[in-house]
C-alpha cells in the first residue's frame, strides 16, 4: 500500500510540475517582442533589374546589408523586356527596375505593381563604341562606311538600349542604310562584349557600360533629342511577399550613400 501511495504521489507531483511549466511558458510568450522574433528571421528580396545596372547594384548590395543584415538581396539581371514578361507570367520578384519607362508602364497598366512605389532612380546616355584598335571613326555617319561590317545593338523589341539605338539611327536617317550590318543581342552587356572582343566593328551602349570596358572606346554620345529619355524607373511588384522590406530597399537606392555609387559608375542622378 505504501508503494502504491508513493507512486501515485510522484505522478501527481509530475502532473503539477508540468502544469506549472506550461502556465509559465504561456505567460512569458506575450512578453516576446516582435523585434526579438524578427532578429532570428531572414528575408530574401528578389530584384529583377536591367543588365546595365549590374555593377552599381552589386556594389550597393553590401552597403544596404550593413544596416539590414537579416535581408538577403538576390538579383535577376536581364533585358528589361524579358524581365517584364517574366513578371507578367508570374515569376517571383519583389522589385522591378527597368532601363525604360515602357516596361514599367506595361506592368502598371496590368495592375501588377504596388501603387505609389514607382520612382526614377537614375538616368543614362547612349554612346557609339568601337574596339580600341579602330581609328578613323568620329560620328554615327561613319557606320555607313564599307569597312564597318557588323554593328551590335540590343534587340529593339526587348532591350531598351536597342530601342534607343534604333531611334537615333532613324533620326539620323541611316537606319535603312546600316540595317543589313546590324547584329542583335539579348541585352546591352552582350553588345559591349561583342565590341570589346572584336566580333563587332561598332556598337551602341550606355556610357555607364562603356566606362567599365577596357577593350572598347567611346566615339561619340548620341544627342539626347534623338531618342526617348533614358531613365531607370523602379516599382515594387504587387506579388511581393515582403512589400515593406522592398519599399525600404527602394528608398535606400535614393539615399545619399547609394547616389554616390551611381555617380561613381557615371549614372546621371534624376
Amino acid at each position: 500500500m505504501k508503494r502504491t501511495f508513493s507512486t501515485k504521489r510522484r505522478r501527481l507531483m509530475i502532473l503539477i510540475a508540468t502544469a506549472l511549466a506550461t502556465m509559465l511558458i504561456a505567460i512569458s510568450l506575450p512578453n516576446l517582442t516582435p523585434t526579438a522574433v524578427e532578429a532570428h528571421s531572414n528575408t530574401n528580396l528578389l530584384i529583377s533589374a536591367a543588365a546595365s545596372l549590374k555593377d552599381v547594384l552589386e556594389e550597393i548590395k553590401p552597403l544596404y546589408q550593413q544596416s539590414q543584415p537579416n535581408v538577403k538581396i538576390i538579383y535577376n539581371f536581364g533585358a528589361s523586356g524579358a524581365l517584364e514578361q517574366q513578371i507578367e507570367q508570374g515569376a517571383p520578384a519583389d522589385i522591378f527596375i527597368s532601363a525604360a519607362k515602357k516596361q514599367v508602364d506595361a506592368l502598371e497598366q496590368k495592375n501588377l505593381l504596388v501603387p505609389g512605389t514607382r520612382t526614377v532612380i537614375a538616368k543614362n546616355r547612349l554612346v557609339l563604341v568601337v574596339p580600341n584598335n579602330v581609328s578613323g571613326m568620329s560620328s554615327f555617319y561613319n557606320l555607313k562606311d564599307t569597312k564597318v561590317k557588323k554593328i551590335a545593338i540590343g534587340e529593339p523589341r526587348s532591350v531598351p538600349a536597342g530601342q534607343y539605338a534604333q531611334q537615333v539611327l532613324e533620326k539620323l536617317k541611316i537606319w535603312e542604310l546600316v540595317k543589313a550590318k546590324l547584329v542583335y543581342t539579348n541585352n546591352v552587356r552582350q553588345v559591349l562584349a561583342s565590341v570589346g572582343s572584336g566580333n563587332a566593328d561598332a556598337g551602341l551602349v550606355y556610357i555607364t557600360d562603356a566606362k567599365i570596358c577596357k577593350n572598347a572606346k567611346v566615339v561619340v554620345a548620341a544627342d539626347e533629342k534623338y531618342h526617348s529619355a533614358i531613365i531607370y524607373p523602379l516599382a515594387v511588384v504587387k506579388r511581393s511577399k515582403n512589400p515593406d522590406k522592398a519599399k525600404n530597399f527602394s528608398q535606400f537606392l535614393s539615399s545619399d550613400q547609394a547616389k554616390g555609387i551611381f555617380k561613381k559608375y557615371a549614372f546621371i542622378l534624376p
Side-chain angles (χ1 to χ4, degrees), residues 24-217:
L24 288 172
I25 292 171
I27 292 171
S28 65
L29 279 175
N31 295 324
L32 288 176
T33 63
T35 303
V37 175
E38 289 172 5
H40 293 89
S41 65
N42 288 308
T43 300
N44 290 337
L45 276 185
L46 179 59
I47 292 90
S48 288
S52 52
L53 290 169
K54 185 178 188 303
D55 296 274
V56 66
L57 288 183
E58 289 288 10
E59 187 161 334
I60 285 174
K61 178 178 175 179
L63 295 178
Y64 177 74
Q65 292 185 317
Q66 285 176 9
S67 60
Q68 300 289 333
N70 296 315
V71 178
K72 182 179 180 182
I73 301 297
I74 303 169
Y75 292 126
N76 174 30
F77 294 109
S80 298
L83 297 176
E84 173 210 334
Q85 290 180 0
Q86 289 174 14
I87 294 171
E88 287 177 348
Q89 292 166 7
D94 293 291
I95 296 172
F96 176 48
I97 313 176
S98 175
K101 67 186 293 291
K102 175 183 175 182
Q103 288 75 24
V104 180
D105 286 344
L107 293 180
E108 195 168 50
Q109 289 166 7
K110 294 175 182 177
N111 199 30
L112 294 175
L113 303 177
V114 177
T117 61
R118 181 169 176 169
T119 185
V120 174
I121 60 171
K123 298 180 179 180
N124 217 329
R125 293 291 305 274
L126 191 73
V127 296
L128 174 64
V129 294
V130 296
N132 283 338
N133 60 357
V134 170
S135 59
M137 295 276 283
S138 60
S139 79
F140 284 98
Y141 292 108
N142 289 128
L143 296 175
K144 299 184 296 180
D145 297 347
T146 55
K147 65 180 180 180
V148 178
K149 307 294 183 184
K150 293 181 180 180
I151 306 165
I153 68 170
E155 167 54 61
R157 290 172 296 182
S158 60
V159 183
Q163 297 166 11
Y164 301 132
Q166 181 173 352
Q167 290 173 3
V168 170
L169 296 176
E170 287 179 340
K171 283 287 186 180
L172 294 173
K173 301 188 185 307
I174 59 174
W175 172 260
E176 293 298 331
L177 298 175
V178 302
K179 197 172 181 179
K181 302 179 181 182
L182 297 177
V183 177
Y184 301 107
T185 70
N186 293 326
N187 60 64
V188 70
R189 288 298 173 89
Q190 290 181 6
V191 175
L192 191 65
S194 295
V195 176
S197 64
N199 289 327
D201 302 303
L204 279 78
V205 300
Y206 300 123
I207 183 67
T208 52
D209 295 302
K211 283 187 174 294
I212 64 170
C213 184
K214 297 179 180 180
N215 301 317
K217 61 184 179 182

